[in-house]
Amino acid sequence: GAVVSQHPSWVICKSGTSVKIECRSLDFQATTMFWYRQFPKQSLMLMATSNEGSKATYEQGVEKDKFLINHASLTLSTLTVTSAHPEDSSFYICSATPSSAATDTQYFGPGTRLTVL
Amino acid sequence: GEDVEQSLFLSVREGDSSVINCTYTDSSSTYLYWYKQEPGAGLQLLTYIFSNMDMKQDQRLTVLLNKKDKHLSLRIADTQTGDSAIYFCAESSPSNTGKLIFGQGTTLQVKP
């Protein structure tokens, strides 16, 4: 149980284009999902908290107009990197907390490797 | 502020025990977690411990919590080459937002 999927697993795009990454909780409902970015050999950097039915909460320094988050259902959150540039190349990981959970346990997706040329 | 610290690297021989250490600053954290990340993959939840517990054991994994010293450890018994990965400890944020505060991660290298 508690499986989270991400799609795509990797994507290569040209500079200036937009890329959408999907995060799905497969066997549970998640009111809250999280989006992280990870640079090589570094820890996770929380970008934003995605809340079903409301606006995402962005961490300081993360541009909300560049990283659009939509959490339209209890099993799906999307992250759209708009007008991507090479510096946006990174490993993006989402996580989800079951709505029924008594803890803050987050279950992670497998990640999406974004390369912007 | 909230901060979680880990040593960056640990090397052990196959069959030995591994002990990965973590210190945290916020004593009001309710839960503390250990995650494992293999290359190119997401994070896999290994185990978690409630802050009013001292120890939790799950097969080869033993978690020890010293709340007074704000010290958390993960012991892996009979370490195997498949245990080679990055291990992250995390504490639940006291702000009740559901966020987790992660350490930098400890790279465990298991030599045959």
Side-chain angles (χ1 to χ4, degrees):
Chain A
V3 178
V4 177
S5 71
Q6 275 184 248
H7 179 80
S9 54
W10 60 269
V11 56
I12 301 172
C13 70
K14 292 182 179 179
S15 189
T17 60
S18 294
V19 174
K20 180 186 282 188
I21 303 171
E22 292 186 350
C23 178
R24 292 182 186 273
S25 54
L26 297 186
D27 51 2
F28 64 95
Q29 293 184 331
T31 309
T32 305
M33 292 184 174
F34 300 88
W35 287 97
Y36 295 85
R37 186 172 178 177
Q38 187 179 34
F39 293 102
K41 299 191 186 301
Q42 292 190 27
S43 189
L44 287 78
M45 183 191 84
L46 179 65
M47 299 174 66
T49 303
S50 172
N51 303 295
E52 187 269 336
S54 64
K55 291 183 179 179
T57 305
Y58 290 83
E59 295 299 300
Q60 195 170 8
V62 178
E63 298 176 59
K64 62 180 180 181
D65 295 330
K66 179 162 185 66
F67 299 100
L68 300 179
I69 291 172
N70 186 291
H71 193 150
S73 77
L74 286 171
T75 59
L76 173 64
S77 175
T78 60
L79 168 69
T80 301
V81 183
T82 62
S83 187
H85 287 93
E87 57 266 30
D88 298 324
S89 298
S90 192
F91 192 54
Y92 292 87
I93 313 177
C94 73
S95 70
T97 297
S99 301
S100 59
T103 70
D104 294 332
T105 305
Q106 293 180 22
Y107 297 93
F108 284 80
T112 297
R113 173 77 56 194
L114 170 63
T115 302
V116 185
L117 302 177
Chain B
E2 304 150 354
D3 196 17
V4 179
E5 298 278 341
Q6 297 179 242
S7 54
L8 295 181
F9 186 78
L10 175 66
S11 180
V12 300
R13 293 223 171 264
E14 192 173 19
D16 288 349
S17 291
S18 307
V19 179
I20 302 171
N21 295 301
C22 172
T23 57
Y24 60 98
T25 54
D26 201 311
S27 57
S28 61
S29 293
T30 313
Y31 291 92
L32 295 131
Y33 301 84
W34 283 105
Y35 285 89
K36 174 184 180 183
Q37 185 180 32
E38 297 185 12
L43 274 68
Q44 172 195 354
L45 176 67
L46 290 178
T47 186
Y48 63 88
I49 188 167
F50 189 46
S51 58
N52 68 352
M53 297 171 65
D54 298 323
M55 186 181 89
K56 181 178 181 181
Q57 186 160 2
D58 184 1
Q59 299 182 342
R60 293 191 296 123
L61 304 179
T62 303
V63 178
L64 295 178
L65 175 60
N66 181 326
K67 200 171 180 182
K68 174 176 168 288
D69 294 339
K70 297 177 189 171
H71 183 267
L72 182 74
S73 68
L74 174 70
R75 178 177 181 270
I76 305 173
D78 186 25
T79 312
Q80 303 297 306
T81 54
D83 294 324
S84 294
I86 302 175
Y87 290 80
F88 291 95
C89 70
E91 61 172 344
S92 53
S93 171
S95 59
N96 202 30
T97 56
K99 294 181 188 178
L100 296 181
I101 312 299
F102 284 89
Q104 313 95 303
T106 299
T107 298
L108 174 64
Q109 179 189 67
V110 182
K111 296 179 180 178

